[in-house]
Amino acid sequence: MATKTYHYSTDVPIVAELDVLVIGGGPAGIAAALAAAQAGARTALVERYGFLGGNATAGLVGPFMTAFSGDSKQQLIKGVFDELVTRMEQIGGAIHPRYVEAGTSYAGFFDKGHGQVTPFDPEAVKLVAAEMMEEAGVQLFLHSFFLETITGENGVEGALILNKSGTQAIRAQVTIDCSADADVADRAGAKTEKGRTGDGLTQPMTMFFRIAGVEDEKVEQYILDHPDEISPFSDIVEAARKRGEWKVNKDQIGLYKTVQPGVWRVNTTRISGKDGTKVEDLVHAELEGRRQVFFLMNFFRKHVPGFSNASLVDTASQVGVRETRRLVGEYMLTAEDLITGKAFDDVIALYSYPIDLHSPTGGAVEFDENYHTANVYQLPYRILVPIETDGLLVAGRCVSATHEAHAAIRVMPCAFALGQAAGVGAAIAVKAKVHPREVDMGQVQQELRRQGVVLPAREQEGRDTI
């Protein structure tokens, strides 16, 4: 049966004409907007919530995963990310990653990929990110939903948004898609992929939540008393599974101490088989996630030391989505690139997070031992550039990467780095009056360095050194 349609047509007021328009105010969008503005572009940022931060705030995801090299000796992600963290640290809203070792309570007692993580307060992100936008002169459109991509002879020319003032149009020389789901690119007709090769299934979703009233010392003492556990609290989970009391398709408990005493984040719920680009699947995921939260609260009080008097503080405003659409760009980043530390002439960021592949069917494998990434690997500008569509850059977890490579670069510090590169690329494209794919990479890299981004030394570019 054919889908019924309703024709709707109206004139939409143009409320801004700018150099750079950023859609999505998560980590990638924050960095993209600030970087573009700092590079001299007239910039606006559109965000559906009344605050910035995306998964860092609305999703309650944290801590920020490592910003350092694999051996924890060199900070790789600086620029906008480091300024945000430093300013949050000054108001008691974060602990700088240089002080956080792997295996500690702030790192969830995990070792691999968890050295130099960044504990932070979501409320501090909301305040500091907005203040940074204000200072940089970025025009904010909060409480505003992306509605449709505006396209024309030059490719993408802006976007339609929807908010309390009605439907509005924003025109821009370059639009940066930081929606996490490649929504702007998809509406523009840019080529995208979804999920793993073969069945298209994506990594599972997670509903983060926070718990107060935890006896920190008892939690930490349990870990000290059980050094032989396969993963944190896995003995507790396995015993409960044998009794038929464990109802989450995960074999460990992810607990992360926050900057507030007695308050912990929980990354343990798991919702598999849902598509984050389908509203009906998101509805199911939100409900299922919160059901699992209440199950886990009761389980923790009964079985996890230090949680007997714990209380639920809040669940995330939105379920955490790890993977949906990914751009097909001028270059497709692969797991092999990360494993070998492949060098790129158009390098715009360095990173190190391992391939954290949560099975789409909910199995136990996360950090896949078949993938041992380089101590430092490089990310090229071309993964931000659609293979055909002009006037558009994409940043964040929806850049051009395979399902496996995406599992490493989808985390928030990397999103900041990718966003900052997109912001600089967009600003330079506008200034030079060229398409984003045509920018002079020397100018892009020079501006990124000026903004504090860590790149290979000039004489070493093309080698795996910094």
Side-chain angles (χ1 to χ4, degrees):
M1 182 178 177
T3 302
K4 292 182 178 180
T5 62
Y6 176 80
H7 179 72
Y8 176 74
S9 177
T10 187
D11 291 328
V12 178
I14 299 171
V15 295
E17 295 187 82
L18 307 155
D19 297 326
V20 177
L21 171 62
V22 180
I23 303 295
I30 290 170
L34 289 172
Q38 289 171 14
R42 297 170 301 144
T43 305
L45 173 61
V46 174
E47 167 55 41
R48 62 174 167 164
Y49 291 109
F51 51 84
L52 303 175
N55 269 333
T57 50
L60 287 183
V61 177
F64 292 132
M65 287 291 98
T66 186
F68 278 61
S69 54
D71 60 11
S72 295
K73 292 181 178 179
Q74 173 74 33
Q75 186 173 348
L76 301 178
I77 308 297
K78 291 187 177 180
V80 169
F81 171 80
D82 200 62
E83 182 181 354
L84 178 75
V85 171
T86 299
R87 290 177 62 154
M88 290 195 295
E89 188 181 26
Q90 291 169 353
I91 62 172
I95 300 174
H96 196 278
R98 70 170 70 93
Y99 303 120
V100 183
E101 300 296 328
T104 62
S105 54
Y106 291 120
F109 306 108
F110 292 102
D111 290 310
K112 187 170 183 179
H114 285 67
Q116 280 58 57
V117 300
T118 307
F120 66 91
D121 183 348
E123 297 305 315
V125 177
K126 293 176 184 178
L127 174 61
V128 174
E131 288 180 337
M132 291 171 70
M133 295 294 166
E134 186 176 52
E135 293 164 12
V138 175
Q139 186 174 358
L140 287 178
F141 289 84
L142 301 180
H143 301 284
S144 298
F145 289 82
F146 165 74
L147 185 61
E148 188 60 79
T149 306
I150 298 174
T151 58
E153 292 182 359
N154 294 316
V156 175
E157 298 179 353
L160 298 182
I161 64 173
L162 180 65
N163 53 38
K164 287 292 185 180
S165 298
T167 305
Q168 299 177 325
I170 302 175
R171 301 190 70 91
Q173 298 297 308
V174 178
T175 300
I176 306 177
D177 184 348
C178 297
S179 66
D181 301 313
D183 288 336
V184 182
D186 180 66
R187 301 296 195 279
K191 188 176 180 181
T192 61
E193 292 182 351
K194 189 188 298 181
R196 65 186 180 188
T197 303
D199 57 18
L201 293 178
T202 58
Q203 296 190 63
M205 303 180 191
T206 292
M207 175 64 71
F208 266 76
F209 61 105
R210 292 188 292 184
I211 298 176
V214 178
E215 297 172 88
D216 298 345
E217 300 80 5
K218 288 186 177 180
V219 181
E220 294 173 358
Q221 189 61 50
Y222 174 86
I223 296 297
L224 290 173
D225 292 341
H226 295 79
D228 297 327
E229 281 192 324
I230 296 174
S231 58
F233 312 101
S234 58
D235 287 357
I236 292 174
V237 171
E238 183 57 27
R241 194 192 308 277
K242 289 178 179 177
R243 297 191 304 267
E245 293 182 26
W246 185 248
K247 299 180 180 179
V248 180
N249 194 10
K250 194 170 184 178
D251 62 358
Q252 63 191 23
I253 295 173
L255 298 173
Y256 294 84
K257 187 178 179 180
T258 72
V259 294
Q260 293 93 4
V263 178
W264 293 63
R265 296 179 193 258
V266 185
N267 175 8
T268 304
T269 67
R270 175 155 290 187
I271 305 105
S272 301
K274 299 301 173 185
D275 184 339
T277 65
K278 295 181 178 179
V279 67
E280 59 271 23
D281 281 11
L282 286 170
V283 169
H284 178 276
E286 297 281 358
L287 180 56
E288 174 58 24
R290 291 188 172 87
R291 284 196 181 109
Q292 291 184 24
V293 167
F294 276 81
F295 160 75
L296 289 168
M297 281 300 307
N298 290 326
F299 183 89
F300 292 164
R301 291 189 189 106
K302 291 179 181 178
H303 300 295
V304 180
F307 282 80
S308 59
N309 296 312
S311 60
L312 178 64
V313 176
D314 53 3
T315 59
S317 298
Q318 65 177 61
V319 69
V321 179
R322 289 183 175 87
E323 180 184 22
T324 52
R325 302 185 193 95
R326 303 185 311 277
L327 179 72
V328 175
E330 290 195 333
Y331 184 83
M332 179 75 72
L333 194 72
T334 68
E336 186 68 15
D337 295 334
L338 310 186
I339 292 166
T340 62
K342 181 177 179 178
F344 296 96
D345 290 339
D346 59 338
V347 55
I348 43 80
L350 303 176
Y351 203 44
S352 71
Y353 193 64
I355 295 175
D356 183 10
L357 192 57
H358 295 242
S359 170
T361 54
V365 175
E366 293 183 9
F367 291 112
D368 194 321
E369 294 304 320
N370 293 318
Y371 299 118
H372 295 279
T373 54
N375 183 51
V376 177
Y377 51 76
Q378 299 187 5
L379 303 177
Y381 178 78
R382 285 167 291 161
I383 66 174
L384 313 178
V385 183
I387 197 166
E388 294 175 344
T389 309
D390 285 322
L392 178 68
L393 290 170
V394 174
R397 65 170 167 82
C398 51
V399 297
S400 181
T402 64
H403 172 71
E404 294 77 17
H406 163 273
I409 66 169
R410 62 180 170 78
V411 294
M412 292 187 286
C414 192
F416 276 101
L418 294 169
Q420 187 152 11
V424 167
I428 289 177
V430 170
K431 193 177 298 184
K433 298 182 180 179
V434 298
H435 293 301
R437 72 179 74 254
E438 300 168 343
V439 293
D440 183 319
M441 282 311 304
Q443 292 182 21
V444 171
Q445 291 164 341
Q446 181 179 21
E447 176 62 20
L448 286 170
R449 288 188 176 98
R450 189 190 73 80
Q451 293 189 11
V453 171
V454 178
L455 293 177
R458 287 180 178 85
E459 65 275 12
Q460 298 288 354
E461 283 175 7
R463 303 182 199 172
D464 184 17
T465 61
I466 53 176

